Amino acid sequence: MARPRSFDTDDALEKAMHVFWAHGYEGASLPDLLEGMGLTRGSLYKAFTDKKTLFLKVLERYEGQAVKAGVAMLTDPSVPNGAERVMAMFQGSYQRVIDGDSRGCLLCTAAAGPSTYDDEIAHAVSAGLGVLRDGIYEALGASPRHATLSPAERAALADMLIAQYVGLRTMARARIDHDTLKNIVRSVGVMLA
């Protein structure tokens, strides 16, 4: 008879998310994960099979937390102008860097890392960023200046803004100087004005 799991899976995934967020997929070693999650090697492999499966579950969790929160902000009707919602997302990302959080976005980090060579991770990253991009598209529809754009034009602008977001968050993780990051946020403001 198999022994029941002696750890909370949600707690373990939360801890793994922070290890991957801090070190990236490639940089998160098995010892880092075991220490960060408080698990033994056998428990980790029994519960999650392998590092990649664990990472995919972590990306799913991240989407359910961070991406969902971002979309909620982008679609918040209490801020009537959707362009202001989009700017708030960029300004909030920049402010986190100023406040000392250089982890960037886990999806953006994965986009620049393992999704370049792993189709399953690329699919998960694309899905998560697609959800955020759809939130931007919806916010643009609530912007007086952008609501008159055709659906194709609004989609193109949403695509460009998600590219700016990935760039900003990836550059934040790379510890690019604050002035450059601030200029990226300013350029988004110019595009949305």
Side-chain angles (χ1 to χ4, degrees):
M1 184 164 147
R3 288 184 1 191
R5 232 176 241 148
S6 62
F7 64 91
D8 181 291
T9 304
D10 283 338
D11 183 57
L13 283 172
E14 183 71 20
K15 290 175 179 175
M17 182 173 70
H18 290 286
V19 172
F20 282 124
W21 207 348
H23 299 286
Y25 179 73
E26 290 93 352
S29 68
L30 183 59
D32 291 332
L33 288 164
L34 295 175
E35 181 180 337
M37 296 169 72
L39 298 179
T40 65
R41 182 184 303 255
S43 293
L44 185 140
Y45 285 125
K46 186 173 182 179
F48 303 108
T49 311
D50 57 27
K51 181 179 173 180
K52 178 180 158 181
T53 302
L54 173 62
F55 188 64
L56 289 168
K57 288 185 182 301
V58 162
L59 288 177
E60 185 179 303
R61 183 178 191 83
Y62 185 82
E63 183 178 340
Q65 291 178 359
V67 174
K68 185 177 180 180
V71 170
M73 183 181 68
L74 288 165
T75 58
D76 181 3
S78 72
V79 179
N81 186 333
E84 291 175 9
R85 298 178 210 156
V86 175
M87 273 310 296
M89 180 180 77
F90 278 88
Q91 289 166 335
S93 295
Y94 174 70
Q95 188 60 50
R96 281 190 286 284
V97 174
I98 296 303
D99 293 342
D101 185 354
S102 62
R103 296 177 301 173
C105 163
L106 186 58
L107 285 172
C108 299
T109 300
S115 72
T116 62
Y117 58 82
D118 186 286
D119 291 341
E120 284 181 274
I121 294 173
H123 178 74
V125 168
S126 180
L129 290 175
V131 169
L132 193 57
R133 180 246 177 236
D134 291 348
I136 293 170
Y137 179 86
E138 187 173 331
L140 292 172
S143 165
R145 181 174 185 277
H146 304 97
T148 58
L149 296 173
S150 73
E153 291 169 327
R154 196 169 355 136
L157 182 55
D159 287 340
M160 196 241 349
L161 287 166
I162 197 67
Q164 289 286 96
Y165 177 79
V166 171
L168 174 67
R169 300 290 285 192
T170 304
M171 291 171 76
R173 184 170 178 83
R175 298 188 184 114
I176 301 299
D177 66 277
H178 290 180
D179 288 339
T180 300
L181 301 177
K182 189 174 189 176
N183 283 334
I184 292 170
V185 175
R186 282 185 182 144
S187 72
V188 170
V190 170
M191 288 183 274
L192 293 173

